[in-house]
Amino acid sequence: MRKAIRNDIHKMRAFVRFRRVMQDDIEQYVAWYRPDHYILGANERFFVERFGAMHWAILTPDGSLVWDTQQVRYGPGVPRSEAPAEDELEDLWRAYYASIYNPARRNLDAMRAQLPVRRWQDLPESRLIPELVRLSPGRVESMIDARPASASEFIPRDADLPLLREAVHHCRACELCALATQPVFGEGPPDARILVVGEQPGDEEDHTGHPFVGPAGRVLDAALSEAGLDRDVVYLTNAVKAFRFEERGKRRIHKTPRAAHIAVCRPWLEAELDAVKPRRIVCLGATAAQSVLGRTVQIGAERGHLLPHGSGAEIVVTYHPSAILRAPDAGTRTELTRALVADLTLARL
Ligand code: URA
């Protein structure tokens, strides 16, 4: 019962839709809503705090709550038929919902769970759902076709890391961010002397929103500590900020990013390099090396040396920890681990 009431309180916060009415020259916002429990009072504070500057009323069949920007009044219940009818805000809700609706993440069961069908008649945006679902495959295609050539236009100028980390969530420079759970931005001290670049977030990183927290991250942690480096002193990021995968049944299988993804996402990495200003840049694997050096790189041939970077920093290219995880035999695994540790030691200052 407690859980049902908690859910009901939460749902009311999400599903109340105000309509604008003018009364005595005062703009008022009126919502009609049918909760499952007597929860109007439990939500009083939430609505007063959220909409304190507006005159509003929430009407329910069992009681109403009125706020005049100064105080709250409770009144009798109001049947739906007496609630204000559709207004121009409905169009706004529909436009908003259509714009945030992500066709690539269409999941009808989740939508029904979040937006219960019995609430649909009270929600202006729900009328759009069948049409949006019907158009989904085409919209994914056009999202991919319409992508700009670079992420630059999504990057605020002179931004610091917290602002960049926030801005990356709005990036639609390629299809990957829309298909992934979330983009994963770099983490670490904002003035780290060493910046480590991986390829792209994996499945666990995609779910948690943090870089290098899955199996490859554990291999990297071990190698860093063997090289005498603490994970907490390095800034960890990726060349491509979102997980590229292929769905196989319930599993999401990693797919190597294409050269176009690396190029499109590169401005995010450049913005991180500008903000952190590291003295050493470690590229884990060919994707990271390609992003940082702007050309294809053979790790075996170019590892073990310091290479120059335009910023004055020095670059170390080395094997990606997942190459160690995928090593065909123990001998190769030992050899790759040794090389990774030696390269991280070279990067140490
Ligand atoms: N592999 C990467 O390249 N980056 C991560 O963040 C995790 C795995």
Side-chain angles (χ1 to χ4, degrees):
M1 181 63 133
R2 185 180 301 158
K3 197 165 159 211
I5 290 176
R6 210 180 321 118
N7 277 344
D8 204 29
I9 290 172
H10 179 74
K11 288 263 183 285
M12 178 172 173
R13 293 175 184 184
F15 293 137
V16 158
R17 298 286 181 266
F18 288 102
R19 283 161 180 166
R20 194 166 73 123
V21 264
M22 290 304 286
Q23 201 176 30
D24 307 329
D25 269 353
I26 296 178
E27 199 172 44
Q28 315 227 19
Y29 290 85
V30 182
W32 187 89
Y33 185 78
R34 189 206 318 261
D36 293 333
H37 301 274
Y38 297 109
I39 53 161
L40 196 56
N43 265 331
E44 174 192 316
R45 240 178 101 161
F46 172 84
F47 284 99
V48 166
E49 278 172 11
R50 164 94 35 118
F51 303 114
M54 292 158 43
H55 292 251
W56 52 257
I58 299 174
L59 317 173
T60 78
D62 306 297
S64 51
L65 180 59
V66 180
W67 172 250
D68 63 3
T69 72
Q70 303 295 325
Q71 58 177 336
V72 150
R73 275 182 294 118
Y74 280 85
V78 177
R80 185 168 211 278
S81 54
E82 286 179 33
E86 185 153 318
D87 69 351
E88 75 271 23
L89 285 185
E90 314 268 299
D91 283 340
L92 207 64
W93 268 111
R94 277 192 280 270
Y96 170 70
Y97 186 77
S99 73
I100 59 161
Y101 175 81
N102 182 347
R105 307 200 61 209
R106 172 170 59 106
N107 177 338
L108 289 180
D109 290 339
M111 273 164 68
R112 282 189 198 103
Q114 292 301 318
L115 210 69
V117 174
R118 74 197 146 79
R119 298 248 177 261
W120 285 21
Q121 56 173 335
D122 301 328
L123 295 171
E125 65 269 32
S126 59
R127 217 185 293 158
L128 291 178
I129 292 174
E131 185 67 357
L132 288 173
V133 167
R134 193 177 67 73
L135 295 175
S136 278
R139 279 191 66 199
V140 174
E141 290 298 311
S142 56
M143 251 162 62
I144 293 170
D145 289 345
R147 68 174 177 227
S150 151
S152 312
E153 70 183 79
F154 297 91
I155 302 181
R157 224 173 263 155
D158 300 325
D160 58 6
L161 290 171
L163 189 58
L164 291 169
R165 189 167 291 121
E166 163 130 17
V168 76
H169 287 271
H170 305 285
C171 188
R172 289 291 176 270
C174 73
E175 78 284 10
L176 296 186
C177 279
L179 295 167
T181 307
Q182 58 195 320
V184 178
F185 203 66
E187 285 180 3
D191 54 354
R193 299 194 318 160
I194 303 174
L195 184 146
V196 176
V197 188
E199 181 199 64
Q200 64 167 356
D203 189 58
E204 284 186 48
E205 288 80 13
D206 172 81
H207 283 302
T208 59
H210 301 289
F212 286 104
V213 291
R218 289 189 278 281
V219 173
L220 177 63
D221 283 350
L224 281 169
S225 90
E226 228 182 292
L229 282 165
D230 193 337
R231 176 185 172 120
D232 293 345
V233 306
V234 301
Y235 184 93
L236 290 175
T237 191
N238 284 297
V240 172
K241 300 292 186 259
F243 182 34
R244 182 165 189 246
F245 60 90
E246 190 181 286
E247 271 177 326
R248 276 204 217 131
K250 290 201 162 159
R251 293 181 58 211
R252 302 190 305 167
I253 310 294
H254 164 278
K255 263 178 104 176
T256 304
R258 293 204 189 137
H261 295 120
I262 302 171
V264 166
C265 209
R266 194 170 173 202
W268 286 112
L269 178 60
E270 283 169 354
E272 285 176 297
L273 287 166
D274 274 354
V276 178
K277 300 194 176 27
R279 290 186 38 209
R280 295 269 157 86
I281 304 167
V282 178
C283 301
L284 302 174
T287 298
Q290 182 169 345
S291 179
V292 172
L293 287 155
R295 60 178 172 84
T296 49
V297 176
Q298 272 237 318
I299 302 297
E302 300 202 37
R303 60 158 290 273
H305 307 284
L306 296 174
L307 308 168
H309 184 254
S311 65
E314 287 161 312
I315 304 169
V316 174
V317 301
T318 188
Y319 295 110
H320 193 285
S322 31
I324 295 172
L325 290 170
R326 285 196 309 262
D329 52 65
T332 314
R333 196 170 311 126
T334 309
E335 195 184 313
L336 293 175
T337 307
R338 232 180 248 149
L340 176 60
V341 172
D343 294 335
L344 291 171
T345 310
L346 174 68
R348 224 174 64 188
L349 286 151

